[in-house]
Amino acid sequence: MQLDQLHRRMEVDELSWDSFPLDHFKLPLTTKPTDCRTDLDAPDILTLSDLSIDSVLPDDVFERIFSFLPISSVIRASLTCKRWHEIIHSRRCSLFSPGSKSKPWYFMFTCTSEASPGGFAFDPLTRKWFSFHLPCIEKSNWFVSSSSGLVCCMDSDSWSRVFVSNPIIHEWRQLPEPSGDSQPDYSTVAISVDKKSLNYIVSLVRSKQVSDDFHQWEFVVHLYGSGSGKWVTPVKEVFSGWRGGDDSVICNGFLYCLIQSTGVIANTVPRHRLIMYNIVSSSGSLMHLSIPVPCALTCGRLMNLKDRLVLVGGIAKNDRPDIIKGIGIWELCQNKVWREVAKMPHKYFQGFGELDDVFASSGSDELVYIQSYGSTALLVFDMEKKQWRWSARCPVSKRFPLQLFSGFCFEPRLEVSC
Amino acid sequence: MADNGGKKITLKSSDGEEFEVPEVVAMESQTIRHVIEDVCAKNSIPLLNVNSKILSKVIEYCKKHVAAAEAAASKASTEEGTAAAASVTKPSDEDLKTWDAEFVKVDKGTLFNLILAANYLHIPGLLDLTCQAAADMIKGKSAKEIRKFFNLKNCISPEEEEEIRRENQWAFEEEKRTRAFDAYA
């Protein structure tokens, strides 16, 4: 059919786009104009308003449209036709690009069966819980860390099986075993993805008692780079009166790790300190470069929120370091000083019911999630809006008094591979 | 908006209609800006890719946003109390958002043409606005509904579809629920 005949027909009746197969028109697709002058003379295709959207919009425009969608919609859209499926899985589709509205999820382990720990993931954008399966993780007490869509986990038995996965695209791999003492007393993992190269670093910090008097503790840092595919052990230090292995996170080229006092110190002095290890250009004693936490804490959780180091801590009662009287959020500023971001309002603190001195907290991008181990109640704090909000009610409820729940935050991404 | 003798330029649509607009409005389009800056003494620019209906809408968007930017700039420079002297057409951020929302309430054919025009003419604000509107049309729909709405040819085999559904069960839970409900409705 000639093009002018087509025009005439279209003026007469509304044609279904399906009437014409895609290759029928053989019209050039408009791509990004590189040379403005020649493009202004390109043939007019825009009066053919009944064409299928699929035949006239270029790939990068679709990528932009998809970046405005919550990930569940993106997955559904990938089913519609081959081209959309290719665009979505082409690894160029970042849902966390500056214009997009994607928010990090919270995964909660809700099944205690050891066969395969199931769970639910909460999407704060749609405020829905999805039944979700995580690859690799065999038990809910494994060590977990996440960064930009990759989830790193380590087993809780041998403390030497380390996996990296992207739960959304179902990819995973096991890292080679790190060297060194694999029977430490305390251990913590962290992962960090480089946004440009999409390479990642995994850190494994191990702490082991050296002497019998609980005083000397070895603090060892192992680092794995996805580029080199190898582990290195750049740091080994012995602390007196402090042990490592509490929470750790990699942020802006630094590995931050919380250490705890093992000695008897005055109850007014914080029992935790923050180790700051410069991964790129380390020098000097870690202990000397460490700083105390802002106040006496019952527990501390570290997270990387848009390249800022954030600490969520249980605030201890003055004379009782194991009793929590509140929860605070602090940010570490450039000059190594803590700045208080928020304190959990009392009504939310009470809303958890019984809150132990230790709780789960994890965050990414702009959100901080806080969860009590004893229930499925999940509280969300938005760092930009400075707002607290409960998540939608978790579909799982507590089945027996001692049932524990834990979880972690991760960003659902399609474009990051392990 | 300052219509006090600023340089004007003529944009010609593909179907021959001419639109005279202030140069600053036309330069909302990066494409046109390059033409103006590279090719001097051009008073009339033919846009063979955009018809008059779409071009007039695009110009409407550019005029509105240039006016809003000018209003915001002059608001920032005046100290206080001279708000009364300013013209009544000083949209605040909220007003502009409302205006934008109304602007994209068009049929899908017009919307896709606007997306194409914004992409071709390199108008970032309009491109984001129209892509967001298109995304809103996709959000919440099932794969089948999306296909129907956008008239996409389904070329994914049933086996491939089944595999995608199986691997990403969580994304299709809602669909299952609606389907189950429909069975009882």
Side-chain angles (χ1 to χ4, degrees), chain A residues 17 46 64 80 128 170, chain B residues 49 128 147 151 167 174:
Chain A
W17 294 334
L46 289 181
R64 191 183 284 250
T80 51
K128 287 186 160 45
H170 313 286
Chain B
N49 262 26
D128 273 348
R147 242 183 253 134
N151 259 302
E167 285 193 341
E174 270 176 13

Side-chain angles (χ1 to χ4, degrees), chain B residues 45-63:
Chain B
I45 298 180
L47 297 173
L48 298 180
N49 262 26
V50 192
N51 70 24
S52 54
K53 176 183 168 201
I54 299 299
L55 185 55
S56 71
K57 288 247 355 153
V58 170
I59 288 171
E60 193 190 331
Y61 175 89
C62 294
K63 274 190 175 152

Side-chain angles (χ1 to χ4, degrees), chain A residues 322-366:
Chain A
D322 55 338
I323 294 190
I324 189 173
K325 64 172 187 179
I327 290 180
I329 301 179
W330 295 267
E331 181 186 324
L332 186 67
C333 300
Q334 291 276 46
N335 49 356
K336 311 285 186 239
V337 166
W338 294 102
R339 177 184 77 86
E340 185 182 291
V341 174
K343 273 222 172 72
M344 186 187 291
H346 202 59
K347 67 172 180 185
Y348 293 107
F349 189 74
Q350 284 185 313
F352 280 107
E354 222 180 86
L355 193 53
D356 283 332
D357 55 333
V358 182
F359 53 86
S361 180
S362 182
S364 183
D365 203 46
E366 296 164 4

